Amino acid sequence: MFDFKYAEFIIPAFVITAVVFGGMILLSVNHARHWRRRYEELTQSSKTPR
């Protein structure tokens, strides 16, 4: 698959891509958790009788 004379450039590029992609996934999941928590707080407070 690889011609190993370029491996010193290709492998770090794959590693950087994987780290960035993993970071984007973690940030997205964290952001979704925040907004889900906020939504649950708002819906719970609107369901309670006044």
Side-chain angles (χ1 to χ4, degrees), residues 9-38:
F9 302 108
I10 294 172
I11 293 172
F14 281 161
V15 170
I16 291 170
T17 301
V19 168
V20 169
F21 192 66
M24 288 169 45
I25 290 171
L26 289 175
L27 286 173
S28 296
V29 169
N30 191 27
H31 199 70
R33 282 186 194 147
H34 167 75
W35 286 110
R36 179 180 298 248
R37 198 176 319 120
R38 178 77 174 131

